[in-house]
Structures are given as C-alpha cells and as structure tokens.
C-alpha cells in the first residue's frame, strides 16, 4: 500500500534535451530523504512534451538511480485506451511499480461515470502493474466523483487515487466509500494536513521536489500525532505552494529547485522560463515562509 | 468571539408571505440544542427575495424568540455601501449582535483587493455592531484572498469571516495571517471537520437547520479531541450536505426540514419547490447517512 | 417597437453623490445625435450602488432632460418579485417608457426555465409599462435559453430582450423563435454588426455613451444595406469595446467619456477610478481605432 | 487559399477497430457534394483515441478515396513540438495538404502569447505543408487572442485558422488584423452565417458530416448575396448543431449520420453510444428543423 510523500519529479532539460546526469544528481540527493518514492511523468514532469521513447528511457533511468526501497510510480495515461495500456506495460518493464493514470479529458464534458468506469476498467484489466487513478481537474477539467471511485476501487488492479483538487469535501467523501487498503493521496501541498486529518495516506506534492524535508516532516509529525507542529508547517506551505502551482507552475518550481541546489533548469518549449523579476517574487515568498535562506 | 455552530436559518413562508408562527416554532426547538446562535438573512434565508421591511421584522422576531444566550447574526450586505450601512444599523436596533456582510459582487471581475478594502472599511467604520465578512464564491463569483482578509482584520470593527468555499487551502492561509481572536468560520458542513483541524472556530451550516444535533456533536467531539468520532460524523455529512447545497439548494433544505419535523415549507417565488421524485432522492441520501429514519 | 441604438448611460458622480448638472450636460449633447433613447440604471449606470430614492430621482431627471422623441428605458430588476414590481411602477410614474429587467441571479445555478418563466410572468403581469428581458451572463452567471425567451414572448407585456452575451448562436436561435415584433437587441458593441445580420433590431451599447455617432452610423449604414462600410466601423469597435467592458469596465468607460468631452467623472465606491497608466492604455486603444484624436 | 465547407470527418469503427470500407462509402458519397475537402483527425474524428499508426493509415485512405479536387486537412497537433512536427510530416507524406494544429493545452493557464508564438513558430518552421491554427476553447480551455494570431499570420507557413468558439467578436477582431489571404474559418455551424458576414472564408463543421448539402447551400447562397435565404438555413441549424456538439457530442453526430444513410456507427471507448431515448431526442430536433424526414 502506498503511503508517505512522493515528488512528481521534474524532468531536467538542457538545450531542450533531457539531461540524465542532472536527473541522477537530483535523485541521489532525494534518496537521502524520507521520501517514499518518485512519480515520473506526472504533471510537473512536462510529460506532455516528451516523446514515447523519452518516456521509457526516463523510467529506466529513474529506476536505476533510485534507492532500492523507493517506489517508482509512472504517469502513463492518455485518452487512448490502447496507448495507455501499451505505455504502462512498457513502463512496467522499464521499472515502474505503479501506473498513475489521468482521467481521459479531451471530450471533457462527456467524461462521466460510465465513460470513466469503462476507461479505467479496460486499462486496469490489461496492465501488469497496479493502477492509481489520477484526478487533476485544473489540467483535465474532469472531476471524478466519489461514486465512480468507489466502483473502480472494486477492481483488484486499481489500488489508489491521487486527488489533486484542493476540495477536501470530495476527498472526505472518497475516503468514506473506499476500502481501507485503497490508497488515497493528496495531490497538492496546500491541503496535505487537512487531507491527512480526513484519512489520506500521504501526498504526491510538487513542492517535495524542492523542499522534501519539510513535506516529509509535516507527514511524520502528523503520524506521531503532533498535530500542532504538523499544522504549523502546513501554514507555511500554502502560499509557496500556490506560487509553484497556480501562479508560476513548472517554471516556478524549477526556479525554486535551482535556488535550493537541485537542478531545476529550463522548461521545455513551449513553456517559458521565468524572468528575473518573477524569480524574485517567488524567492521572496519562500523566504517569508522560512523555506529558503 | 464567535464560536460553535450556527444555522443560517431558512425563512418560513406560507402563501408567499413570511409566517412568523412557524419561525417561532422552529426557533423554540432550536433553542434547546447546543447551537451558538442564529444567522438570519443568510443565503439560505432567501434574503434576496425579501423587502427591506420584511428583513427588519424578521430580525426583531428572531431576537424575540431566541434564548437569551444565543447570538444573533444578520446578513445585511449589498453592493451599495450606503444601503449596507443603513440596513446593518437598523438590524442592530432590531436585535442583531453581528452583521454578516457579503462581498460586493455585481462587478465581480473588478472586486479585487482595493475595492474590497474600500468597501468593507467604509461599512465597518459606520456600523454599530461588529462586522463579519461573508465570502461565498458560488453565489458571488468573488473569492476574497487571504491577503485582503489580513488587511481587513486590522480594522477594530471587523471581527471575523464566514468562508463558504470548500477550499481548505484558502481557509488555512487565512487562519495563518489573522490574529487569534479573529473568528474564522467554515461556511459549509462538508468541510467542518477539516476546517476545525486547521483552526476554524466553528461553522455556519445550512444542514444545522435540519440536523443541528449532529453538527453540534461533530464540533463538540472535535473540541474534546475525540477526532475519530468527530470525523465519522463528518463522513456522513458530505453527501447530504451536497444534496441541500449544490444539488437541490434551499428547496432541498426545506424539504429535509419538513421530514425532520421542523417547518421548512415552500420556497418563495421564483425558486421552485421540489417535486415528489426529488424529495425521495434527497430522503434516500439522508436515510443512507443515518440522519433521518 | 424598440429599434436603433441606446446608451446604457453612466451615472455622473461628484464627491460620491449624483451630480444632476453633469447628467443634464451629457443628455443635452446626446439629444443632438441619432440615439433612439436612453437606458438609465443599466449595468453601466452603477445601479447596484444607488439607493431606491436616487434611482427614482434619476429617472425623473433623465426624462426631464431628454428630447421628447427619445425612449426612456429603466433598469429596475432585482431578485425580489415584489421589489421589482414596485420599483418598475415607480420608475414608470417618473417617466420610464420600458422596464429592463435582469434575470434573477442570486441562486444562479437554479435559475432555469421554470424559475425564469415564473419570475418574468409575475413581474410582467403587474407592471404598467412593457418589460424587456435583460440577459447579461457576465454579471449574473445566468444565461436565458431561446426556449425560455420564446415562452416569455407570448406574454403581452414582454416585448423584447437585451442580450449582452457575445454568443451570436444564441441570438440567432432567439430571433428564430420569437415573433417579428419582439425586439431583440444586442447588448455589446463588439457584435452589433453580426447581430444585425441575424436580425437584431438594434443595440444597447456601453460605447454609445462615449462615441454615439459611430454606433449610430454602423446601424444606419447597415439599414441602408451598405454592409461593407458598416462592417468597417464594426471592426474598429471590437478592441475599444473590450477595453470599456472586460478589461476596465465602467471606470474605463468614464475615462473615455472624459476624453471625449462628456462628463464621465469618478465611479462610486467601491469601484476604483483608473490610474494615469491605465488611462493611457485605453486612450491608445481608442486612438489606434481612430475613435478619438 | 482555403475556402468553403469542410466536414471534420468522423472515424468509422466496428468492434472498436477502424472500418475502412465504411470510410470509403462515406467519402464516395461526400465526393458528390459541394464540400471543399475533408478534415481528418479533427475533434470529431476521435483522434484522441487513435494510435499513431492508425492516424497515418487514416490519412492515406482518406486521400485515396477523395475526389482529386478535394483538399485534405489533417489534425496533427499535440502539446509536444517534436511529435507534432513528426506526425505532420508523416501525414503530409500520406497525402495531407494542410496540417490543422491545436493550441497546446495541458498547461492551459500558461498558454499565453509568448508560449503560443513559440509553439506555432517552431512547428511551422519545420513542417512541409501549410499550417492552420486550430482554436477550440471548449476542448482545450485555451483561447488564442487576435493579437497572437496577427503575429503568427506573419509566418509564411501559417496560412489560416479554424476558430471553433461561438464568439463572433473574437472572429471579427481576428479578421481585422490578418492579411486578406489568411484563411479564417468558422468552426461550428451555429455561427456560420454571422461568421461569413464578418469576413470568414468558410467553415469546418461537424454537421457537414450528416447534412453537407444544407451547409454548402448556406455558404453558396451567402456568396451569391442571397442573404435572406442563407440566414433562413442558418436559423434551422442552430439547435441541431447544439445537439451534435454541446449536448450529445460525437455520439450524437454519429447517430444522425446513421439516420441520414451515412455510416456513423459506434464511438470508440471510452465514449459511449447514445441510448434509444437519446437518439429519439436528437432525431426530433432534426425533424423539427426539416433536416431529416
């Protein structure tokens, strides 16, 4: 069962190509933290800009550099059932332990209960590693309902969900209708603490790329029932989290990683790197939260 | 300082006119519960359909029937600064202890930091009872930011906020930037528990009209640090809460009040009462949650 | 039957109070143009900030200063059926020829066919001047359907609609289902020409406050079937129209009126006046469109 | 230069696989109409569910079956610059005359002017057939601005845009800022007529799959300046168009194709076919518009 804190790792580029050396450096450093594992090709991985070949190679390299106890989750979903199965199984061969599968979203207004049941069941039937549902309305404009999750949780190969909505009511409802061994993970650091209080098992958090220790501490203090200390960290994370998600996105996250001594580096085209003014804004937000010096 | 659970009370109508007898019956029954007080002319009070004269009379009657220890909060906001001040002061004379003031919203895309600071400061300067900010994006399409709340919290006559968004990240951020004696209240029962975990002082909850005991219990168990029991109630409330807010609104809430032995009665035109099929749906949701028999 | 071009006139303020002298100056100048009349207390009239007394006085003064052939339309709608009837009839006594009534909007997600039929029928039954429906989704978040308009058009006292959506498909559908003597008016200058091509009878246009001649010309050329010249004006209006609606709103419109020699003046609190940088942006847009020198 | 009416052709499936025989039947029949050509792998082609191999084969077959004078436009865009170039060039080899390229959309809130200029410029530099921009906010949640289109229109290999928004103000603004030989096409049949009146050169219309004659007639009558007859067809198309787009989508369009004697057939998973009740609703809408018997 999936527990704890995972970064949806950024993909390091140099001159528009993946730089595996920098990937290695980042992972070796993350290996020393209490992170439970890595999500590769998540929304912060600029997966939408990668070719199929790059994706497989990326999983291989992440597996290679990861400490053996770290769980590898690969984002392998697309609207096509066929392609999702094929990519998930190739990712499994390359070392992925779980497949994190986006709700299909092109025909967003039609992705309702029946369509989502159909999609996830067909994919889960055919992939050789366990499936985690990935619900992220801000990118997909689809929000899976608790009733749909409850039904999908009956499938033996569907073992959890990453819910990236900040809506804790939905999270509470989902947790109340799935079995206890179904992993419900928070998808954004701004609601990790309240998510844990309603029963989430951990989080997949963009911020954990840049400040893994604080994210792991928040989680660990909660597990030890030191709620006051855990909440204090949470309060410091809300505004910085907004900066690397809603306000500045992946370019913001990479800028903060650079400031923290990780390799953030440039984003891939067509995303645009932050300018110095923007970097200063984001830096100030992290300094005011005592997250960087 | 405002704490605990308040229902935003429904306004009882009969033949399109307010029936004060039924109001009295409801309040006498609510007086026996652990509710901290009553919000009159909130969103569930069909305040938008009331004339000015009806509003003042309603406050007078609520004050008259309420047990002496109950706090009376009156919803008195509109886009007009002048009218908001005037109505708030008349409500104060009629017995209101606090004025709950909506963010202005007609020019919704322009209601930013400066506009909201200007509005609430001018109103707070001139009203004779403490002001609670009322943030309810689903009706106003305006979402006040934590930064704006922090600034407004400096005003000596602005003493709290009801935040009806389900976004707990915003709530967490607000709580982290206001003084400890500033009352932050959850505005919807679906996130009462996670709201309390991040520091909210209570809630103004539509559901508390129909099932005040469960709402008060959830709060009381939390205060006693019986988190598991408190969360169990929370889990039962999410789906019923959706039924009386997003799905069926005030007509749904009134239908459930009727089923619980309170006077819900008909909504005022142009709102439409539920038909029997809709009542059955909502009844089933409440029965499955063990909230009615 | 309503035809031609109307400005939803701005309300002139000085030190937060209405200045009727400036209102008179503006109207005397507009009287000399081909405008068909005036809309008072429309969305651009900051009606949401006016008291009931101010509204009635405003209608009286507009009637007094208007040339006799100009039609006076008063915006008198609110969510309350009672108050809408009462204000409309008082506006009629004060000189209004038509009442322009907003879709009710507080309970926006519930304002569907039955609710809107109920509301407009009850209001139309009791008001003593003809009713024009006012559909403006950007302020109300309610979009009346063609089917609902078709039903309402059967009421003998409902004689037209101002549709402020830029969606010409909706306008086309509405025109195809109402009788020929039902006045369908475009509500924004960016789609006046295409609106006329699908059968609209004219427009109520914020821009007509500042540049009435161009708006009247566009309309007149279309009526004379000089489509090419009419379209050329239309093309020049799109970007300036966006500036005084979506981008800068009423503060932008008043700034342009000032530049054109009308009295725009300050907006009422809580709206905020433009700063000089913003005025320069808007001025540049109007200069590039050859609308001001 | 692209002119006239194109259907974004549906992809015929049988048992979840493409049936090229049925594709041939449809095309042979469309060849006899006044359609200007075919869009393959557009939004109505369920392109999101096709593998790369299927896409290339589809272009080959469409080219093979098409009458020689028909223009072939292939939808080849994705968020990845690399993959978009590669697929476009393979489609060109397979017979495509133009590449219709979606705005990138995964990081929707960040796809602004600079990002879009970067993306389309890089793609246009490298593809061997002319590029048409494809703007379809209802699927991408990105709306390209007139200013961005104006800049892109300077690129010698970017020759037009399909704008599927119903917002005619945007269309008017785009047409006013691009050169005369830049093809601006309407993307939905509900606004074909008003789009033509403001200068569009034609349309890519889902409805043209099922009722090509009416779409071609509307266009032809407009070109002959028989505006009244053209508008009459337009009025009949609005509601049916809504049925095969907003209400029922591709499953609705395929159902109507079946009723018209084309092969619509089943949609691919995870889309779901209409049930008989839904087919009856859509049938009624088309019968009331005199589009089917």
């Amino acid at each position: 069962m999936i527990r704890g804190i995972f970064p949806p790792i950024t993909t390091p580029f140099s001159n528009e190509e993946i730089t595996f050396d920098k990937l290695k450096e980042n992972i070796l450093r993350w290996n020393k933290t209490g992170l439970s594992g890595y999500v590769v090709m998540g929304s912060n991985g600029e997966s939408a800009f990668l070719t199929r070949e790059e994706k497989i190679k990326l999983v291989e390299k992440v597996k290679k550099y990861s400490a053996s106890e770290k769980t590898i989750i690969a984002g392998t979903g697309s609207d096509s059932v066929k392609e999702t199965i094929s990519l998930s199984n190739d990712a499994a061969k390359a070392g992925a332990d779980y497949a994190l599968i986006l709700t299909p979203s092109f025909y967003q207004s039609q992705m309702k209960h029946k369509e989502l049941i159909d999609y996830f069941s067909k994919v889960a039937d055919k992939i050789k590693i366990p499936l985690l549902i990935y619900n992220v309305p801000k990118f997909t404009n689809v929000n899976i309902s608790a009733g749909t999750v409850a039904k999908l949780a009956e499938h033996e190969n569907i073992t959890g969900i990453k819910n990236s909505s900040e809506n804790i009511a939905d999270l509470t409802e989902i947790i109340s209708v799935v079995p206890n061994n179904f992993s419900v993970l928070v998808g954004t650091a701004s609601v990790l603490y309240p998510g844990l209080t309603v029963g989430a098992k951990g989080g997949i958090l963009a911020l954990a790329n840049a400040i893994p220790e604080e994210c792991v501490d928040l989680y660990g203090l909660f597990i030890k029932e030191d709620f006051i200390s855990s909440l204090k960290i949470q309060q410091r994370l809300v505004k910085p989290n907004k900066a690397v998600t809603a306000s500045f996105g992946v370019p913001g996250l990479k800028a903060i990683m650079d400031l923290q001594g990780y390799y953030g580096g440039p984003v891939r085209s067509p995303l645009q790197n932050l300018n110095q003014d923007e970097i200063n804004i984001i830096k100030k937000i992290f300094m005011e939260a005592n997250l960087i010096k």
Side-chain angles (χ1 to χ4, degrees), chain A:
Chain A
M1 187 177 177
I2 307 242
R3 289 181 178 283
I5 304 301
F6 296 74
I9 66 171
T10 57
T11 303
F13 295 104
S14 175
N15 295 318
E16 289 283 320
E17 295 302 322
I18 303 179
T19 162
F20 292 103
D21 288 349
K22 298 300 179 183
L23 178 71
K24 184 177 177 183
E25 284 177 29
N26 284 346
I27 293 180
L28 292 184
R29 191 164 153 206
W30 286 324
N31 279 340
K32 296 174 194 154
T33 67
L35 292 170
S36 298
Y38 309 114
V39 174
V40 56
M41 289 139 43
S43 299
N44 288 284
E46 295 174 74
S47 170
F49 306 146
L50 302 179
T51 64
R52 199 179 194 291
E53 293 66 32
E54 289 172 329
K55 289 178 184 178
I56 300 302
K57 193 162 177 201
L58 201 56
V59 177
E60 282 170 358
K61 295 292 188 180
V62 169
K63 178 66 182 173
K64 182 174 171 189
Y65 305 139
S66 297
S68 59
E69 76 278 10
K70 305 292 186 191
T71 300
I72 311 298
I73 302 172
T76 52
S78 68
D79 276 50
S80 163
V81 171
K82 277 190 182 187
E83 177 55 21
T84 299
I85 292 168
S86 156
L87 182 63
S88 300
N89 284 333
D90 287 351
K93 269 182 235 159
D97 300 308
Y98 289 83
L100 179 66
I101 310 272
L102 274 171
T103 55
S105 65
F106 189 77
Y107 298 107
Q108 51 198 252
S109 67
Q110 291 172 293
M111 291 300 112
K112 303 295 186 195
H113 184 74
K114 276 178 70 174
E115 286 79 4
L116 295 173
I117 294 292
D118 187 35
Y119 175 85
F120 282 109
S121 303
K122 281 186 175 147
V123 170
D125 283 349
K126 293 282 181 62
I127 67 174
K128 288 159 185 166
I129 46 177
L131 187 160
L132 302 172
I133 299 163
Y134 183 13
N135 187 51
V136 58
K138 82 169 172 171
F139 290 131
T140 62
N141 307 289
V142 170
N143 193 23
I144 198 167
S145 75
T148 304
V149 177
K151 182 78 190 154
L152 288 172
E154 295 172 8
H155 193 293
E156 63 175 355
N157 203 30
I158 301 180
T159 63
I161 183 169
K162 173 191 181 186
N163 192 1
S164 291
S165 153
E166 290 186 329
N167 189 313
I168 295 297
D170 285 352
L171 200 77
T172 305
E173 192 182 354
I174 290 171
I175 289 168
S176 73
V177 295
V178 296
N180 220 347
N181 65 348
F182 189 84
S183 296
V184 178
L185 302 172
V186 166
T188 185
S190 56
V191 291
L192 177 56
Y193 179 82
L196 293 170
T197 70
V198 300
K201 300 302 196 303
I204 298 177
L205 313 172
L207 269 187
N209 277 283
I211 50 164
E213 290 83 0
E214 282 80 358
C215 298
V216 168
D217 281 356
L218 190 167
Y219 173 76
L221 288 163
F222 181 86
I223 295 299
K224 282 188 264 177
E225 303 195 0
D226 181 352
F227 299 129
I228 291 168
S229 305
S230 181
L231 177 55
K232 272 191 188 145
I233 300 177
Q234 177 65 77
Q235 291 182 328
R236 290 161 54 212
L237 299 189
V238 178
K239 216 170 157 183
N241 187 64
K242 202 183 289 174
V244 300
T245 56
S247 309
F248 295 110
V250 180
L253 178 58
K254 286 191 159 180
I256 281 296
M257 288 177 71
D258 286 329
L259 290 169
Q260 290 290 81
Y262 289 95
Y263 182 84
V267 288
R268 199 175 231 187
S269 171
L271 279 180
Q272 302 290 307
N273 298 310
L274 300 193
N275 60 37
Q276 194 56 50
D277 285 350
E278 293 168 319
I279 292 173
N280 290 342
I281 291 171
I282 206 168
K283 191 174 172 180
K284 187 155 171 279
I285 292 169
F286 275 73
M287 288 180 72
E288 287 173 358
N290 275 318
L291 293 169
I292 61 173
K293 290 116 214 168

